[in-house]
Amino acid sequence: MDKEKIIVIDFGGQYNQLVARRVRECHVYCEIYSYKTDLEKIKEMAPRGIILTGGPNSVYEKNAASCSEELFHLGIPVLGLCYGAQLMMHLLGGSVCKAPVREYGRIEVTVDQSSLLFGDVSEKTICWMSHNDYIEKAAPGFRTIAQTADCPVAAAECVEQNLYAIQFHPEVLHTTEGKKMLHNFVYDVCHCSGDWKMDAFVENTIQEIREKVGSGKVLCALSGGVDSSVAAVLLAKAVGDQLTCVFVDHGLLRKDEGDQVEAVFGPEGPYNLKFIRVNAQERFYSKLAGVEEPERKRKIIGEEFIRVFEEEAKKIGTVDFLVQGTIYPDVVESGLGGESAVIKSHHNVGGLPDYVDFKEIIEPLRNLFKDEVRKAGLELGIPDYLVYRQPFPGPGLGIRIIGEVTAEKVKIVQEADAIYREEIANAGLDRSIGQYFAALTNMRSVGVMGDERTYDYAVALRAVNTIDFMTAEAAEIPWEVLGKVANRIVNEVKHVNRVFYDCTGKPPATIEFE
């Protein structure tokens, strides 16, 4: 994995996680680093290529995000995207200024097909533009290899130094041949071999875990979700009976989920794991009483998780490692994977208490996106119905209940969510929607049921289509399905008299409600 790597230098743009995702789709390993990363560290990583991302600044402004000019003289191929392209031109002697005509959205770009970057790309291709500034004049030694009606330098290259700059965003799906352009960069310019494949990842990770753990004992935080399930099976294959899986039923799970998890991973399940179930519902409800702020709820749930694990570890004896199902979006959205703003704290990465009674935390999926986690699960032989289970956050229903969490509210959202998932499956939509769930809003309103006036809660239904869970669009569910779900919820779930459907994408919203 370390032998062949592309690194993404993050300047704070909204699409930056997609850049890494698209490179990985080319079977080349890729990681994101802040533009503040020390140049010596970049040299030590010896990447095959470097990609500079978009960003919200203007390169000519005082205190704009920047990098050392030396980056372009390391002998490593560099591809600048949008802001990254402008920064390359600005630092190397070109001219960047306010564009007379701002370009935003799908724009036809004419490309020079003789460039390695545009090999097998149509001469006129649709690309996604998003810029107020433009490259007025390319830097010395560069030639223009793409233009639009309003952008004279839509792309430029200096072949002698393996430097490429493109004004548009190849990483978004709106750029119809963007993936082909990134493929050309990593293979034809960086000469990568494409060794980032899931069978190799699984095999290498198992070996790395064995070497790290040695004869130590391992405790796995098992929630029953996709991420922790894949992590548990990965560890079981690596260290066998040195692993103990602790499943904490915090009372914030989906309907009947505690029993379902035990049926799969418990003593009667197929994996022959050491399995401990801790029923801690009242303990969590007590800690969450009166707490309404989302970040406080996340941190309370995360800290209580760790306290429970520590207690179970002491019962087991000496435990050296704790395993968690942290994945790459958790890392990035917690502000640890680049220059992106903190979107949410996550109990796996951002909300751990200062003191944790383990030698080390193992996160075998930390560098994988959600769809890559599923591929790893299939590679490990985990059944489809588990691998494609609906994603479920570590804090559980605690972040699908707006405001204070109570046992009564948990019951409401469990019942509503079960109805929603049942009807989505009945309609044959369960495998075509990226994620869907019911959440309980903190809004109460007047309704009429029978001859009585009610003052009850509103349930919000969420469904999104997404590949990488970094961006998402609201799913267009047929009205008859939504109508049936809403009708069943208000008739079958006590204390609910309204049902809403959330039509918001990510961004500006997150997929979860809190």
Side-chain angles (χ1 to χ4, degrees), residues 125-147:
T125 186
I126 300 299
C127 301
W128 183 261
M129 292 281 194
S130 179
H131 64 98
N132 287 313
D133 297 330
Y134 81 144
I135 301 166
E136 182 182 43
K137 181 182 177 183
F142 282 79
R143 75 179 186 100
T144 300
I145 54 173
Q147 58 275 320

Side-chain angles (χ1 to χ4, degrees), residues 56-130:
N57 304 118
S58 292
V59 296
Y60 47 78
E61 290 177 346
K62 187 179 179 182
N63 299 323
S66 190
C67 64
S68 169
E69 184 183 335
E70 190 184 342
L71 181 76
F72 304 107
H73 302 300
L74 298 177
I76 300 170
V78 181
L79 171 64
L81 309 179
C82 197
Y83 181 86
Q86 295 170 6
L87 182 63
M88 183 188 295
M89 294 296 101
H90 178 70
L91 292 176
L92 296 178
S95 175
V96 177
C97 61
K98 187 71 69 178
V101 179
R102 178 176 183 246
E103 287 185 317
Y104 183 83
R106 294 177 176 89
I107 303 290
E108 184 179 80
V109 178
T110 302
V111 306
D112 183 341
Q113 294 169 306
S114 70
S115 168
L116 288 177
L117 205 58
F118 298 131
D120 202 32
V121 173
S122 307
E123 183 180 6
K124 294 186 181 299
T125 186
I126 300 299
C127 301
W128 183 261
M129 292 281 194
S130 179

Side-chain angles (χ1 to χ4, degrees), residues 9 43 340 469:
I9 305 297
K43 289 180 183 178
S340 302
F469 289 80

Side-chain angles (χ1 to χ4, degrees), residues 315-328:
K315 295 176 187 176
I316 297 166
T318 302
V319 172
D320 305 289
F321 301 92
L322 170 66
V323 176
Q324 295 187 145
T326 309
I327 65 173
Y328 206 42

Side-chain angles (χ1 to χ4, degrees), residues 243-274:
L243 171 70
T244 300
C245 290
V246 175
F247 168 56
V248 177
D249 188 342
H250 50 21
L252 303 171
L253 299 169
R254 290 170 286 204
K255 185 178 180 181
D256 300 328
E257 192 157 35
D259 295 337
Q260 293 168 3
V261 170
E262 186 169 2
V264 173
F265 291 100
E268 305 303 319
Y271 297 109
N272 195 31
L273 298 175
K274 291 180 181 177

Side-chain angles (χ1 to χ4, degrees), residues 333 343-344 462 464 502 504-514:
E333 294 189 342
I343 296 173
K344 62 185 178 183
R462 181 78 160 138
V464 297
D502 182 357
T504 322
K506 175 188 178 180
T510 57
I511 293 177
E512 293 291 343
F513 270 58
E514 290 192 341

